[in-house]
Amino acid sequence: MISTLGNITLVCALLFAVLQSSLPLSGTWRKNVYALAVARPCAWGQFFAILCAYLLLTLAFYTNDFSLTYVAANSHPALPWFYRLTALWGAHEGSILLWILFLNAWTVYFSHRQKNLASLPLILAIVGCVSVCFLLFLIFTSNPFLAAPYPLQGQDLNPLLQDPGFIIHPPMLYAGYVGFVIPFAITQAALLQKKLDASWAMLTRQWTLAAWCFLTLGITLGSWWAYRVLGWGGFWFWDPVENASLLPWLMGTALLHSLVLFEKHAGSVRWSALLTIITFAFSLLGTFLVRSGILVSAHTFANDPARGIFLLLLLAIVATLALVNYVYPRHATLGMDPAVKPRDDSLGARDDSLIGLWGNTLLLFTAAMTVLIGTLYPLIAETLKLGAISVGAPYFNLVMTPILFLLLILMGFAPYRDLHHRKLWFSLLRKIVVCLLGGIFLPWFFSGTIDFLTSLLLALSFWVLINLPIAMRQIPAMTIAHLGFVILILGITLSSAFSEEREVRIQPQENTRLGPYVFHFLGTDEIQGENYKSIRAHFLVKKNQRIITDLTPEKRFYLVRDMIMTKVDIHPGIFRDLYIALGEPLDKTAWSVRLYYKPFIRWVWSGGVLMTLGGLLALWQRRQKSL
Amino acid sequence: MNSIHKRRLYFLAVIAIAISIATSFVLYALKQNMNLFLTPTEIAAKHLPEDYHLRLGGMVKPGSLLRDKQGLGVQFVVTDTHQQILVRYHGILPDLFREGKGVVAEGNLNAQGEFIATQVLAKHDEKYMPKTVTKVTHD
């Protein structure tokens, strides 16, 4: 029943998408107003069809309708209701459906906000083309409404995903990923109509910002999930799938800065247009990497080669068409073309922030490329029969660090508009000295050790912080976002420099120390969850004979999937986390446990949240201005 | 050649130098941090230097897991049905580690031909294995 209805809604959505993309395109060509007018109703029609499909599938999950293969493979009657409502995006097919749902949500929201935009039908047509491709992909290679040939047993949701982080992280991330389709379509339409002008830049910036906020929050939540669930106390693993989300983020950030640059100087117009294409191409590449199953990772579900080939083809076609449209000579845009105004003019102009903005977009571009190389290298090597290779986290840390140095140096200059003052340079010199001293002596004072990298990163972070208040009045959004970034960097630096960990074998009533903390192991008991059994250990944590907290890490056994999971327990704090992961039972009473002391780890995610807030503030200010 | 041309030339030169430095740095970093993925059969055929860092993939031989009486030392045998290697590790094994299932160990060989692992990864899902290992263990 649901299978049939679901397939009907998908086909309806496909029909609407085909109309939405083909009619306005021909309407633009033939100057037919009626064909153009079809775009908006079709977008709404498609949205409602997909929304129905989504609700049907959610209903199937909620009611444990195992006549659908997809539901049976990812749910179970004993699964708690909130996971049953969200298990939809627990695997490949549902994720793609969610992708398309967000694509449609962004489309109708855009058409609602920009009702009077002249190029709206064309933009909707371009988004419609993307939608057609993904709907074809969904229907033919990964249909979630596939009926089961015979009644199936529910196989439960992957226990790794049974965490509150899973309920909110994928939707945020997808909303961000997919959101970049709007700037992409706006720019393609502007290129087709030869109108890369100020209103184009403003519109693109607004919608890039919106998508960027979601993506930033999504990545932050993903990092938080990994910290809580994977049991290694880490917040970022340079896993190919994490990189796949970082790539569009880096390019999206570069795009935002190059659009700010455009408001000051026309030279960056072509560069910004190119960045919208690359950002969206990276979103597609991310989808390809995650969904094709060619990468080895905790996130990869699909192993069907047809899916990979389809997505790769789609990526190639979209990128080629977009780039052809981009390089196609257009004389009407010459007024804005850097070929007419030499780019070098910007370097001598009065507004010195131009240099920083150029530097920023180029650095972020370089960062994205190095991450891309590291992520794709194993794939290329395997295709060329060079053997199975993996590129480790040290590569990424090594190449990103110098880029980060340069970024932070530039970021410190961000509040200044005019650097041609002797007095200013004297005060800057003073600040630099203070920051360097702070970077060297603060870690020495607190830990008694000096590490070159830590000191340098600290000094650079202070350098940004010390300059930030200057711009708080004029550009609060930038200040908050930059503050968020520095807090993120401080969190990464301090937590990786000063975190401590121990793996020990421990008997009940024994103690073990980690820094100033004493962990006293009381013993274990058994508990029964809704769809798992669990062994729970009790630890009492003391510092200077004073009880800080008691922690109860668990070892959970998920019956349906026959999987063992570590449920860590964390005592969070602004300045440090205490983290216990239960290892294995070694003999009758002894256990191995992993203990972590993680200073400043909360700053990593606080930084991400602050960056999102900065983005939202910028968005809100724009809206006030445009009203 | 006027001043604009000259400035452009300098600009291009600076960019070219920056790109070449960045590229060589990236290649160097890649070379330093790349791990080959090998099965026991491939290792036996290769005669690797002692401190060569690599990833070993295969199946944990059933019944081969031994734990120290004290501490967290553990040893097990990784096999691809043709060849096998003894792996020593100090630490906590991952949740999905099981005898008879796939495993990936990162580390290097010692003088006795044993594999000293610095990290052990496991997934009971064989899809996690690289294709070469899956092929070998299925043959």
Side-chain angles (χ1 to χ4, degrees):
Chain A
M1 177 65 179
I2 286 190
S3 168
T4 323
L5 282 176
N7 279 310
I8 293 172
T9 55
L10 288 186
V11 172
C12 282
L14 182 64
L15 284 177
F16 277 122
V18 169
L19 290 178
Q20 182 194 329
S21 52
S22 57
L23 283 179
L25 275 182
S26 73
T28 315
W29 190 259
R30 299 191 180 160
K31 311 235 177 319
N32 182 338
V33 193
Y34 299 106
L36 289 178
V38 168
R40 274 194 71 201
C42 279
W44 279 100
Q46 197 198 154
F47 173 68
F48 281 120
I50 281 295
L51 190 66
C52 283
Y54 171 82
L55 292 175
L56 277 172
L57 196 57
T58 308
L59 185 72
F61 267 103
Y62 189 70
T63 57
N64 300 310
D65 183 348
F66 296 147
S67 64
L68 296 180
T69 323
Y70 181 69
V71 178
N74 293 291
S75 188
H76 189 271
L79 195 66
W81 64 270
F82 42 91
Y83 290 130
R84 263 186 285 147
L85 286 180
T86 50
L88 184 143
W89 53 79
H92 171 79
E93 288 86 343
S95 302
I96 297 291
L97 183 62
L98 189 69
W99 209 101
I100 300 175
L101 179 70
F102 276 120
L103 182 67
N104 279 285
W106 279 107
T107 314
V108 293
Y109 185 58
F110 178 77
S111 77
H112 171 70
R113 295 225 41 117
Q114 311 288 341
K115 265 182 222 136
N116 305 320
L117 195 69
S119 56
L120 181 66
L122 191 56
I123 294 171
L124 292 185
I126 292 163
V127 180
C129 291
V130 177
S131 189
V132 168
C133 296
F134 269 87
L135 278 167
L136 287 174
F137 178 62
L138 184 75
I139 293 171
F140 288 109
T141 71
S142 19
N143 193 337
F145 291 107
L146 210 62
Y150 48 88
L152 293 171
Q153 295 276 316
Q155 287 172 349
D156 210 356
L157 179 66
N158 185 348
L160 278 174
L161 303 178
Q162 296 188 25
D163 176 89
F166 162 76
I167 296 176
I168 172 166
H169 153 61
M172 287 293 145
L173 195 67
Y174 273 43
Y177 253 10
V178 183
F180 286 121
V181 75
I182 300 289
F184 171 79
I186 295 172
T187 308
Q188 290 300 315
L191 281 165
L192 282 171
Q193 297 182 323
K194 307 169 185 180
K195 274 185 196 154
L196 283 183
D197 52 16
S199 68
W200 159 79
M202 171 125 155
L203 203 60
T204 311
R205 187 166 134 78
Q206 216 157 333
W207 291 91
T208 309
L209 256 175
W212 182 89
C213 289
F214 278 108
L215 189 60
T216 311
L217 196 61
I219 295 176
T220 309
L221 286 168
S223 154
W224 179 65
W225 170 84
Y227 175 74
R228 291 155 33 89
V229 172
L230 297 183
W232 289 98
F235 53 87
W236 191 263
F237 296 88
W238 294 110
D239 178 286
V241 174
E242 289 172 332
N243 295 347
S245 67
L246 188 64
L247 284 173
W249 187 86
L250 286 170
M251 296 311 294
T253 315
L255 173 60
L256 284 179
H257 288 84
S258 101
L259 286 167
V260 177
L261 182 58
F262 176 79
E263 284 167 15
K264 299 163 192 261
H265 178 74
S268 74
V269 63
R270 302 287 292 176
W271 175 240
S272 306
L274 183 61
L275 283 178
T276 61
I277 298 173
I278 302 178
T279 308
F280 184 58
F282 275 179
S283 292
L284 289 181
L285 181 76
T287 314
F288 163 68
L289 288 178
V290 182
R291 299 291 157 235
S292 62
I294 52 172
L295 284 176
V296 175
S297 142
H299 293 69
T300 45
F301 322 121
N303 249 10
D304 182 354
R307 291 173 180 166
I309 290 167
F310 190 106
L311 282 172
L312 200 60
L313 258 177
L314 176 65
L315 174 62
I317 292 171
V318 169
T320 316
L321 284 180
L323 286 174
V324 166
N325 188 20
Y326 172 74
V327 295
Y328 189 74
R330 263 164 241 287
H331 299 288
T333 55
L334 271 187
M336 288 301 180
D337 208 271
V340 177
K341 282 187 185 175
R343 185 181 293 162
D344 297 9
D345 272 9
S346 62
L347 297 178
R350 201 168 294 150
D351 194 338
D352 291 312
S353 64
L354 293 175
I355 310 169
L357 286 167
W358 266 116
N360 166 294
T361 67
L362 291 176
L363 281 171
L364 286 174
F365 181 76
T366 317
M369 288 305 149
T370 50
V371 173
L372 184 70
I373 291 171
T375 312
L376 291 186
Y377 194 78
L379 289 181
I380 298 167
E382 205 176 334
T383 319
L384 298 179
K385 306 254 185 277
L386 296 175
I389 285 168
S390 68
V391 175
Y395 161 79
F396 294 101
N397 292 335
L398 191 62
V399 291
M400 292 304 263
T401 315
I403 296 175
L404 183 61
F405 287 159
L406 296 176
L407 272 178
L408 286 172
I409 292 173
L410 287 182
M411 201 183 252
F413 284 109
Y416 299 103
R417 290 285 158 273
D418 190 354
L419 288 170
H420 290 267
H421 289 300
R422 207 166 224 204
K423 262 191 189 158
L424 180 71
W425 279 97
F426 275 124
S427 84
L428 285 182
L429 208 62
R430 250 197 324 256
K431 283 178 181 172
I432 291 171
V433 172
V434 169
C435 293
L436 278 176
L437 289 178
I440 293 167
F441 283 107
L442 277 181
W444 179 73
F445 183 74
F446 283 107
S447 74
T449 51
I450 292 181
D451 175 62
F452 173 71
L453 196 62
T454 312
S455 294
L456 192 57
L457 276 173
L458 278 182
L460 287 171
S461 303
F462 294 151
W463 159 246
V464 180
L465 281 181
I466 212 168
N467 286 315
L468 266 182
I470 298 164
M472 189 60 209
R473 278 275 178 82
Q474 290 103 21
I475 351 176
M478 180 206 83
T479 311
I480 292 174
H482 282 193
L483 179 68
F485 185 74
V486 174
I487 286 180
L488 167 79
I489 295 303
L490 280 174
I492 294 174
T493 311
L494 294 171
S495 73
S496 44
F498 299 114
S499 85
E500 287 180 42
E501 67 169 278
R502 274 191 82 183
E503 289 187 346
V504 288
R505 180 191 185 106
I506 194 164
Q507 296 270 5
Q509 306 310 326
E510 274 183 354
N511 285 333
T512 182
R513 291 186 77 92
L514 185 70
Y517 297 94
V518 178
F519 292 79
H520 182 64
F521 182 34
L522 293 168
T524 57
D525 58 358
E526 283 186 28
I527 50 173
Q528 178 76 42
E530 275 182 79
N531 54 345
Y532 60 86
K533 286 195 297 192
S534 168
I535 298 176
R536 186 171 58 177
H538 293 267
F539 284 87
L540 208 59
V541 186
K542 290 181 192 164
K543 184 185 181 182
N544 305 330
Q545 302 304 318
R546 196 165 53 85
I547 294 174
I548 305 276
T549 179
D550 52 342
L551 291 174
T552 53
E554 292 174 39
K555 206 76 190 174
R556 287 186 180 172
F557 177 63
Y558 285 84
L559 307 156
V560 183
R561 288 222 176 187
D562 186 24
M563 248 173 99
I564 297 174
M565 279 279 304
T566 304
K567 177 83 178 69
V568 304
D569 202 10
I570 301 167
H571 184 246
I574 301 172
F575 295 109
R576 60 106 191 89
D577 272 19
L578 297 173
Y579 184 112
I580 300 189
L582 209 51
E584 311 148 285
L586 295 176
D587 50 42
K588 275 184 193 128
T589 50
W591 279 81
S592 57
V593 286
R594 202 183 283 130
L595 309 166
Y596 292 96
Y597 165 73
K598 291 264 164 197
F600 295 92
I601 187 94
R602 300 273 142 190
W603 291 36
V604 175
W605 309 302
S606 315
V609 172
L610 264 181
M611 278 197 275
T612 313
L613 289 179
L616 288 175
L617 182 60
L619 207 58
W620 183 72
Q621 283 182 318
R622 293 266 141 178
R623 197 148 288 171
Q624 298 297 96
K625 233 186 259 179
S626 63
L627 281 178
Chain B
M1 193 146 106
N2 60 25
S3 70
I4 287 184
H5 280 129
K6 232 181 207 168
R7 275 176 70 182
R8 261 193 203 168
L9 212 61
Y10 285 135
F11 190 66
L12 281 179
V14 168
I15 283 191
I17 292 170
I19 288 178
S20 44
I21 290 176
T23 316
S24 48
F25 183 64
V26 163
L27 288 179
Y28 168 79
L30 258 184
K31 200 161 178 277
Q32 294 294 307
N33 296 295
M34 219 165 59
N35 298 317
L36 262 183
F37 205 112
L38 299 172
T39 60
T41 309
E42 285 169 326
I43 291 177
K46 265 198 170 156
H47 297 290
L48 296 162
E50 209 175 282
D51 56 349
Y52 186 82
H53 199 77
L54 68 121
R55 279 187 169 196
L56 164 73
M59 195 181 80
V60 184
K61 192 176 175 184
S64 70
L65 182 70
L66 278 178
R67 290 181 195 279
D68 285 0
K69 289 272 179 305
Q70 304 289 319
L72 295 173
V74 55
Q75 66 173 57
F76 54 90
V77 173
V78 168
T79 171
D80 56 9
T81 66
H82 302 292
Q83 292 282 344
Q84 58 183 40
I85 283 184
L86 182 76
V87 177
R88 290 184 185 281
Y89 178 64
H90 188 89
I92 297 172
L93 292 169
D95 287 336
L96 300 174
F97 184 94
R98 302 261 178 100
E99 291 187 341
K101 299 286 181 186
V103 69
V104 177
E106 197 174 319
N108 50 275
L109 292 169
N110 68 6
Q112 287 81 44
E114 297 164 345
F115 191 84
I116 307 301
T118 51
Q119 204 185 0
V120 175
L121 311 166
K123 236 187 170 180
H124 73 163
D125 189 347
E126 71 198 10
K127 284 172 189 162
Y128 187 63
M129 293 283 118
K131 288 174 201 103
T132 48
V133 179
T134 319
K135 213 166 58 195
V136 171
T137 48
H138 272 242
D139 284 346

